[in-house]
């Protein structure tokens, strides 16, 4: 491995040199060794060395680190101050890319979004839905080339088939060549002279495609499904984008989803709460289920039925069905009901739980007190 020279030595300045002195020295050396000016074999390496030294010494923090730690940099910086790209430095100081060739980059089609509303049960158990997606597709007549079948592409007269436009610029460092992509052929180097009669040279046509969307069990509102390659076709025969189906789930009339559990608001009367009962509760399984209410159930209690919730997404099992109990106080009573409640109330005495003796009465009796 070659040993790096001291950055101050590279720029020919002292260790106490001011920024202006460092900048003047760099410009002088950059002009001397710039590859477009100096054709010597070692000129490019010298230019890179000068540029790297300048990038470190002109930055206050980098210069302090270099003065303290040298080329290795402080601990945790890995390769220290190495890795300054010649192309980045060139573009930063002289404008434009140095490369004289430009490779063609595939242009990917746009991603699409489709909002799909499904029922509560469809979200729980999954479904298959057919949707219609308007999108740009590859022209079948010209197969995406944009040229009428049987015709040929001609060399672009704007760039003479290179796909690039070169402009010579004069600066204090001499003459430089700025290379940009040809805006007529988009870097292809050739143009369509006989456009396709179907797509008019675009290579893509607008169409509506019917697609099947497989919705897995356990999805919820806001989640999306990705259909790879079902977005728009890319220009210039580029690959398709993706389709994202964003789900929206309709609410259930009496059930509320919380994660994979289902919540049901169960209202019962005083008699059911005190004596216990068996009632029917709704489910998402197309039939109601019997639920046992224990005697003495209080308002605010919850009763859980295992395995009657929403199926888990991408794994076996289901959540639970939870009934939140609310004991309803009647607002209107018939005369007979009023009499029965009064008789019942007398049996309770002053104890809301219905016991004949209170806690302190029982305590006194146990201690033998009067």
């Amino acid at each position: 491995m070659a040993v790096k020279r001291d950055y101050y030595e590279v720029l020919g300045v002292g260790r106490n040199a001011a920024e202006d002195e460092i900048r003047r020295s760099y410009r002088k050396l950059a002009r001397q060794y710039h590859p477009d000016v100096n054709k010597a074999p070692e000129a490019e390496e010298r230019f890179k060395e000068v540029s790297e030294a300048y990038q470190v010494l002109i930055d206050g923090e980098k210069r302090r680190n270099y003065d303290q730690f040298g080329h290795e940099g402080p601990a945790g910086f890995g390769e220290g101050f190495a890795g300054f790209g010649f192309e980045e430095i060139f573009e930063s100081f002289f404008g434009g890319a140095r490369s004289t060739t430009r490779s063609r980059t595939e242009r990917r089609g746009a991603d699409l979004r489709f909002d799909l509303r499904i029922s509560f049960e469809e979200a729980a158990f999954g479904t298959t839905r057919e949707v219609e997606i308007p999108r740009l597709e590859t022209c079948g007549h010209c197969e995406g080339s944009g040229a009428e079948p049987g015709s040929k592409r001609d060399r672009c007269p704007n760039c003479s088939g290179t796909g690039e436009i070169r402009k010579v610029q004069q600066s204090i460092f001499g003459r430089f060549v700025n290379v940009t992509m040809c805006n007529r052929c988009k870097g292809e180097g050739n143009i369509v002279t006989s456009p396709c009669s179907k797509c008019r040279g675009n290579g893509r046509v607008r169409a509506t495609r019917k697609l099947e969307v497989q919705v897995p069990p356990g999805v919820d509102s806001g989640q999306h499904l990705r259909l790879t390659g079902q977005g728009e076709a890319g220009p210039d025969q580029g690959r398709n984008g993706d389709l994202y189906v964003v789900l929206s789930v309709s609410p259930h009339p009496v059930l509320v989803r919380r994660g994979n559990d289902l919540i049901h608001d169960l209202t019962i009367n005083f008699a059911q709460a005190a004596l216990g009962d068996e009632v029917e509760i709704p489910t998402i399984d197309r039939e109601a289920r019997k639920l046992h209410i224990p005697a003495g159930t209080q308002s605010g209690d919850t009763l859980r039925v295992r395995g009657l919730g929403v199926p888990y997404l991408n794994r076996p099992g289901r959540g639970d069905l939870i009934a939140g109990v609310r004991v309803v106080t009647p607002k209107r009573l018939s005369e007979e009901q009023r009499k029965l409640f009064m008789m019942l109330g007398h049996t309770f005495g002053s104890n809301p739980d219905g016991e004949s003796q209170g806690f302190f009465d029982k305590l006194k009796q146990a201690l033998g007190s009067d």
Side-chain angles (χ1 to χ4, degrees):
M1 180 181 293
V3 178
K4 284 189 176 184
R5 291 200 298 156
D6 181 80
Y7 285 150
Y8 292 99
E9 179 185 342
V10 170
L11 293 181
V13 296
R15 303 192 76 84
N16 296 324
E19 288 186 8
D20 288 343
E21 183 181 354
I22 292 173
R23 189 173 288 107
R24 284 195 302 270
S25 178
Y26 166 69
R27 289 180 175 175
K28 176 182 177 181
L29 293 171
R31 182 174 181 179
Q32 178 182 349
Y33 293 112
H34 195 282
D36 284 351
V37 177
N38 191 331
K39 302 301 181 182
E42 71 278 3
E44 181 174 328
E45 290 300 321
R46 291 297 303 275
F47 179 77
K48 290 168 65 176
E49 182 184 41
V50 168
S51 298
E52 181 178 319
Y54 174 75
Q55 286 289 301
V56 173
L57 299 187
I58 201 63
D59 184 288
E61 183 177 354
K62 292 178 181 177
R63 184 176 179 180
R64 285 190 296 272
N65 286 332
Y66 175 73
D67 289 341
Q68 185 174 359
F69 302 102
H71 288 293
E72 295 302 319
F77 275 71
E79 297 181 1
F81 299 104
F84 290 97
F86 167 62
E87 299 295 340
E88 295 177 0
I89 295 172
F90 184 91
E91 291 185 21
S92 174
F93 284 89
F94 303 102
R98 179 175 178 270
S99 173
T100 58
T101 59
R102 181 181 297 273
S103 60
R104 178 179 180 271
T105 302
E106 181 188 53
R107 299 168 65 190
R108 181 176 176 272
D111 292 334
L112 297 178
R113 168 177 173 154
F114 183 85
D115 293 315
L116 179 63
R117 191 168 187 83
I118 58 177
S119 69
F120 199 88
E121 289 77 9
E122 286 176 325
F125 299 114
T127 186
T128 299
R129 296 285 291 273
E130 186 177 77
V131 298
E132 292 187 352
I133 306 296
R135 65 184 186 183
L136 287 174
E137 297 187 347
T138 300
C139 176
H141 187 62
C142 66
E143 298 182 349
S145 68
E148 186 69 18
S151 65
K152 294 196 246 179
R153 286 177 170 261
D154 292 337
R155 187 172 66 174
C156 177
N158 201 34
C159 64
S160 300
T162 64
E164 300 172 337
I165 301 297
R166 296 165 172 266
K167 293 182 180 179
V168 179
Q169 296 179 338
Q170 189 72 32
S171 72
I172 61 172
F173 299 108
R175 298 177 65 203
F176 300 99
V177 179
N178 186 28
V179 182
T180 58
M181 182 180 70
C182 176
N183 59 3
R184 181 170 182 181
C185 67
K186 302 297 187 293
E188 295 290 327
N190 52 71
I191 58 175
V192 175
T193 54
S194 298
C196 172
S197 58
K198 297 295 183 182
C199 65
R200 299 181 180 180
N202 184 270
R204 299 182 295 173
V205 293
R206 185 156 293 280
T208 299
R209 181 72 59 182
K210 290 184 177 181
L211 300 173
E212 275 196 353
V213 178
Q214 299 286 339
V215 180
V219 297
D220 203 354
S221 287
Q223 293 179 333
H224 68 264
L225 308 173
R226 177 183 177 185
L227 278 65
T228 304
Q230 296 297 341
E232 293 194 335
D236 302 325
Q237 299 175 311
R239 64 189 178 94
N240 285 26
D242 299 331
L243 171 65
Y244 291 87
V245 179
V246 181
L247 302 174
S248 175
V249 181
S250 299
H252 194 276
V254 293
L255 297 174
V256 176
R257 180 172 177 176
R258 187 178 66 193
N260 287 89
D261 292 334
L262 294 176
I263 312 299
H264 174 58
D265 185 13
L266 177 63
T267 58
I268 60 176
N269 59 43
F270 280 128
Q272 290 173 306
L275 304 175
D277 199 1
E278 193 173 76
V279 299
E280 287 189 344
I281 58 172
T283 70
I284 56 175
D285 295 85
R286 299 183 181 177
E287 60 181 12
R289 289 294 185 92
K290 295 288 186 180
L291 176 67
H292 175 68
I293 301 176
T297 297
Q298 304 295 309
S299 189
D301 286 352
T302 57
L303 306 175
R304 183 182 296 266
V305 183
R306 301 286 181 182
L308 282 185
V310 176
Y312 296 113
L313 182 62
N314 298 326
R315 64 186 178 95
R318 295 173 59 174
D320 300 332
L321 175 58
I322 303 172
V325 178
R326 183 163 59 94
V327 180
V328 179
T329 303
K331 294 183 178 179
R332 295 180 181 178
L333 296 173
S334 66
E335 188 61 31
E336 181 182 3
Q337 289 172 332
R338 183 181 296 276
K339 289 180 180 180
L340 292 173
F341 267 110
M342 291 180 66
M343 292 173 58
L344 182 63
H346 287 310
T347 64
F348 288 151
S350 60
N351 301 312
D353 60 1
E355 293 184 357
S356 59
Q357 288 184 312
F359 171 77
F360 289 106
D361 291 333
K362 291 182 179 180
L363 183 61
K364 288 178 180 180
Q365 185 178 8
L367 297 174
S369 301
D370 294 333

